[in-house]
Amino acid sequence: MNWYSTHLLPRLINRSMGSKDLQIARANIVGLAEGVVLEVGFGSGYNLPFYRNMERLYALEPSRALYDYAAERTSSVGFPITWLPHSIEAIPLPDNSIDTVLSTWTLCSVPDLAVALKEIYRVLKPGGKFLYVEHGQSPKKLLATVQKLLTPIGRHFTGNCHLDRNMGAAITKAGFTVKELPAAAKTERPLAFPYQGVAIKPQYS
């Protein structure tokens, strides 16, 4: 399993994340990022062509193998990129230092979702945006049941991917205010119910 996780899984993830339907979803959300941006689960850099108003990008990606796939993409952008080889549960950035955090199909696989969202909340400036395109628990009971049954087995072969996480509820519970929830792009993955939105860290006086 170690060889699979280290060598084969990054290759499979890189290939699947470049699919056309996912690119449509990226185009709808990534361009909303602005200022100093932290992308959690940077992967192999498929979001890079969709950034617009950037000062700097922190690319948080614990897998060196995945980050290496992004070499050609990172060399062609017009803003500085700093690679952070860390987990989302321990982001090496100061409190209230980031304008925008972006997550695309990442929160399904973090070991501790609550801690990850707490860290995202911590590094965002008050009024900062958390942009996310994720997948998780379906609102349909039958599909949700199937997701729950498949997750304990499937996650061992998909980089800890959980099909059955209620992303919307988890993000709200972390203290964010969901300001906008654009219509999620349709995908060809019936067991991957899409969650897509803009969440705001409250601005306190």
Side-chain angles (χ1 to χ4, degrees), residues 37-69:
V37 177
L38 167 66
E39 182 177 336
V40 295
F42 178 78
S44 48
Y46 279 113
N47 288 325
L48 288 175
F50 303 104
Y51 282 114
R52 296 292 178 265
N53 302 309
M54 298 287 298
E55 293 177 25
R56 168 178 292 276
L57 176 65
Y58 290 100
L60 189 130
E61 177 50 60
S63 170
R64 178 57 190 258
L66 267 177
Y67 188 77
D68 284 347
Y69 279 115

Coordinates of all heavy atoms in Angstrom, one line a residue, residues 37-69:
V37 N -3.4 34.5 -1.6 CA -4.3 33.3 -1.7 C -3.5 32.1 -1.2 O -2.3 31.9 -1.5 CB -4.7 33.1 -3.2 CG1 -5.6 31.8 -3.3 CG2 -5.5 34.3 -3.7
L38 N -4.2 31.3 -0.4 CA -3.8 30.0 0.0 C -4.6 28.9 -0.7 O -5.9 28.9 -0.5 CB -3.9 29.8 1.5 CG -3.7 28.4 2.1 CD1 -2.3 27.9 1.8 CD2 -4.1 28.3 3.5
E39 N -4.0 28.1 -1.5 CA -4.7 27.0 -2.1 C -4.4 25.7 -1.3 O -3.2 25.3 -1.3 CB -4.4 26.8 -3.6 CG -5.2 25.6 -4.2 CD -5.0 25.5 -5.7 OE1 -4.6 26.4 -6.3 OE2 -5.2 24.3 -6.2
V40 N -5.4 25.1 -0.7 CA -5.1 23.9 0.1 C -5.4 22.7 -0.8 O -6.4 22.6 -1.5 CB -6.0 23.8 1.4 CG1 -5.6 24.9 2.3 CG2 -7.5 23.9 1.1
G41 N -4.5 21.7 -0.8 CA -4.6 20.6 -1.7 C -4.3 21.1 -3.1 O -5.1 20.8 -4.1
F42 N -3.2 21.7 -3.3 CA -2.8 22.3 -4.6 C -2.7 21.2 -5.7 O -3.0 21.5 -6.9 CB -1.5 23.0 -4.4 CG -0.9 23.6 -5.7 CD1 -1.4 24.8 -6.2 CD2 0.1 23.0 -6.4 CE1 -0.9 25.4 -7.3 CE2 0.7 23.6 -7.5 CZ 0.1 24.7 -8.0
G43 N -2.3 20.0 -5.3 CA -2.2 18.9 -6.3 C -1.2 19.2 -7.3 O -0.1 19.6 -7.1
S44 N -1.6 19.0 -8.6 CA -0.7 19.3 -9.7 C -1.0 20.6 -10.5 O -0.6 20.7 -11.6 CB -0.7 18.1 -10.7 OG -2.0 17.7 -11.0
G45 N -1.6 21.5 -9.8 CA -1.8 22.9 -10.3 C -2.8 23.1 -11.4 O -2.7 24.1 -12.2
Y46 N -3.9 22.3 -11.4 CA -4.9 22.5 -12.5 C -5.7 23.8 -12.3 O -6.3 24.2 -13.3 CB -5.8 21.3 -12.5 CG -5.3 20.1 -13.2 CD1 -5.0 18.9 -12.6 CD2 -5.1 20.1 -14.6 CE1 -4.5 17.8 -13.3 CE2 -4.6 19.0 -15.3 CZ -4.3 17.9 -14.6 OH -3.8 16.8 -15.3
N47 N -5.6 24.4 -11.1 CA -6.4 25.6 -11.0 C -5.6 26.9 -11.5 O -6.2 27.9 -11.7 CB -6.7 25.9 -9.5 CG -7.7 24.9 -8.9 OD1 -8.7 24.6 -9.6 ND2 -7.6 24.5 -7.7
L48 N -4.3 26.7 -11.7 CA -3.5 27.9 -12.1 C -4.0 28.7 -13.3 O -4.0 29.9 -13.2 CB -2.1 27.4 -12.3 CG -1.3 27.0 -11.1 CD1 0.1 26.5 -11.5 CD2 -1.1 28.2 -10.1
P49 N -4.5 28.1 -14.4 CA -4.9 28.9 -15.5 C -6.2 29.8 -15.2 O -6.5 30.7 -16.0 CB -5.3 27.9 -16.6 CG -4.6 26.7 -16.2 CD -4.6 26.7 -14.7
F50 N -6.9 29.6 -14.1 CA -8.1 30.3 -13.8 C -8.0 31.4 -12.8 O -8.9 32.1 -12.6 CB -9.2 29.3 -13.3 CG -9.4 28.1 -14.3 CD1 -8.9 26.9 -14.1 CD2 -10.1 28.4 -15.5 CE1 -9.1 25.8 -14.9 CE2 -10.4 27.3 -16.4 CZ -9.9 26.1 -16.1
Y51 N -6.8 31.6 -12.3 CA -6.6 32.7 -11.3 C -6.5 34.0 -12.1 O -6.0 34.1 -13.2 CB -5.3 32.5 -10.6 CG -5.4 31.5 -9.4 CD1 -4.7 30.3 -9.4 CD2 -6.1 31.8 -8.3 CE1 -4.7 29.5 -8.4 CE2 -6.2 30.9 -7.2 CZ -5.5 29.8 -7.3 OH -5.6 28.9 -6.2
R52 N -7.0 35.1 -11.5 CA -7.1 36.4 -12.2 C -6.4 37.5 -11.4 O -5.4 38.1 -11.8 CB -8.5 36.8 -12.5 CG -9.2 35.8 -13.4 CD -8.7 35.9 -14.8 NE -9.3 35.0 -15.7 CZ -8.9 33.8 -16.0 NH1 -7.7 33.4 -15.5 NH2 -9.5 33.0 -16.9
N53 N -6.9 37.8 -10.2 CA -6.4 39.0 -9.5 C -5.5 38.5 -8.3 O -5.9 38.5 -7.1 CB -7.6 39.8 -8.9 CG -8.5 40.3 -10.1 OD1 -8.0 40.9 -11.0 ND2 -9.8 40.0 -9.9
M54 N -4.3 38.2 -8.6 CA -3.4 37.5 -7.6 C -2.3 38.4 -7.2 O -1.7 39.1 -8.1 CB -2.8 36.2 -8.2 CG -3.9 35.2 -8.6 SD -4.5 34.5 -7.1 CE -3.0 33.8 -6.4
E55 N -1.9 38.4 -6.0 CA -0.7 39.0 -5.5 C 0.4 37.9 -5.3 O 1.5 38.0 -5.7 CB -0.9 39.8 -4.2 CG -1.7 41.0 -4.3 CD -1.9 41.7 -3.0 OE1 -1.1 41.5 -2.1 OE2 -3.0 42.4 -2.8
R56 N -0.1 36.9 -4.6 CA 0.8 35.7 -4.3 C 0.0 34.5 -4.0 O -1.2 34.6 -3.5 CB 1.7 36.1 -3.0 CG 2.4 34.9 -2.4 CD 3.3 35.3 -1.2 NE 4.4 36.1 -1.6 CZ 5.5 35.7 -2.1 NH1 5.7 34.3 -2.2 NH2 6.5 36.5 -2.5
L57 N 0.5 33.3 -4.3 CA -0.1 32.1 -4.0 C 0.7 31.2 -3.2 O 1.9 30.9 -3.5 CB -0.4 31.3 -5.3 CG -1.1 29.9 -5.2 CD1 -2.5 30.1 -4.6 CD2 -1.1 29.2 -6.5
Y58 N 0.1 30.7 -2.1 CA 0.7 29.7 -1.2 C 0.1 28.4 -1.6 O -1.1 28.2 -1.5 CB 0.5 30.0 0.3 CG 1.3 31.1 0.8 CD1 0.7 32.4 1.0 CD2 2.6 31.0 1.1 CE1 1.4 33.5 1.5 CE2 3.4 32.1 1.6 CZ 2.8 33.3 1.8 OH 3.5 34.3 2.2
A59 N 0.9 27.5 -2.2 CA 0.4 26.2 -2.7 C 0.7 25.1 -1.6 O 1.8 24.6 -1.5 CB 1.1 25.9 -4.0
L60 N -0.4 24.8 -0.8 CA -0.2 23.8 0.2 C -0.5 22.4 -0.4 O -1.6 22.1 -0.8 CB -1.1 24.1 1.4 CG -0.9 23.2 2.6 CD1 -0.8 24.1 3.9 CD2 -2.0 22.2 2.8
E61 N 0.6 21.6 -0.4 CA 0.5 20.2 -1.0 C 1.5 19.3 -0.4 O 2.7 19.5 -0.6 CB 0.7 20.3 -2.5 CG 0.6 18.9 -3.2 CD -0.5 18.1 -2.8 OE1 -1.7 18.6 -3.1 OE2 -0.4 17.0 -2.2
P62 N 1.1 18.4 0.5 CA 2.0 17.5 1.2 C 2.7 16.5 0.3 O 3.8 16.0 0.6 CB 1.2 16.8 2.2 CG -0.2 16.9 1.7 CD -0.3 18.2 0.9
S63 N 2.1 16.2 -0.9 CA 2.7 15.2 -1.8 C 3.7 15.9 -2.8 O 3.3 16.6 -3.6 CB 1.6 14.5 -2.6 OG 2.2 13.7 -3.6
R64 N 5.0 15.5 -2.6 CA 6.0 16.1 -3.5 C 5.7 15.5 -4.9 O 5.9 16.2 -5.9 CB 7.4 15.7 -3.1 CG 8.5 16.2 -4.0 CD 8.5 17.7 -4.2 NE 9.3 18.2 -5.2 CZ 10.5 18.8 -5.0 NH1 11.0 18.9 -3.7 NH2 11.2 19.2 -5.9
A65 N 5.3 14.3 -5.0 CA 5.1 13.7 -6.3 C 4.0 14.4 -7.1 O 4.1 14.7 -8.3 CB 4.7 12.2 -6.1
L66 N 2.9 14.8 -6.4 CA 1.8 15.6 -7.1 C 2.3 17.0 -7.5 O 2.1 17.5 -8.6 CB 0.6 15.7 -6.2 CG -0.5 14.6 -6.3 CD1 -1.6 14.9 -5.3 CD2 -1.0 14.6 -7.7
Y67 N 3.1 17.6 -6.5 CA 3.5 19.0 -6.8 C 4.5 19.0 -8.0 O 4.5 19.9 -8.8 CB 4.2 19.6 -5.6 CG 4.5 21.0 -5.8 CD1 3.5 22.0 -5.7 CD2 5.8 21.5 -6.1 CE1 3.8 23.4 -5.9 CE2 6.1 22.8 -6.2 CZ 5.1 23.7 -6.1 OH 5.4 25.1 -6.3
D68 N 5.3 17.9 -8.2 CA 6.2 17.9 -9.3 C 5.5 17.8 -10.6 O 6.0 18.3 -11.6 CB 7.1 16.6 -9.2 CG 8.2 16.8 -8.1 OD1 8.4 17.9 -7.7 OD2 8.8 15.8 -7.7
Y69 N 4.3 17.3 -10.7 CA 3.5 17.3 -11.9 C 3.1 18.7 -12.3 O 2.7 18.9 -13.5 CB 2.2 16.5 -11.7 CG 2.3 15.0 -11.8 CD1 2.1 14.2 -10.7 CD2 2.7 14.4 -13.0 CE1 2.2 12.8 -10.9 CE2 2.8 13.0 -13.2 CZ 2.6 12.2 -12.1 OH 2.8 10.9 -12.2

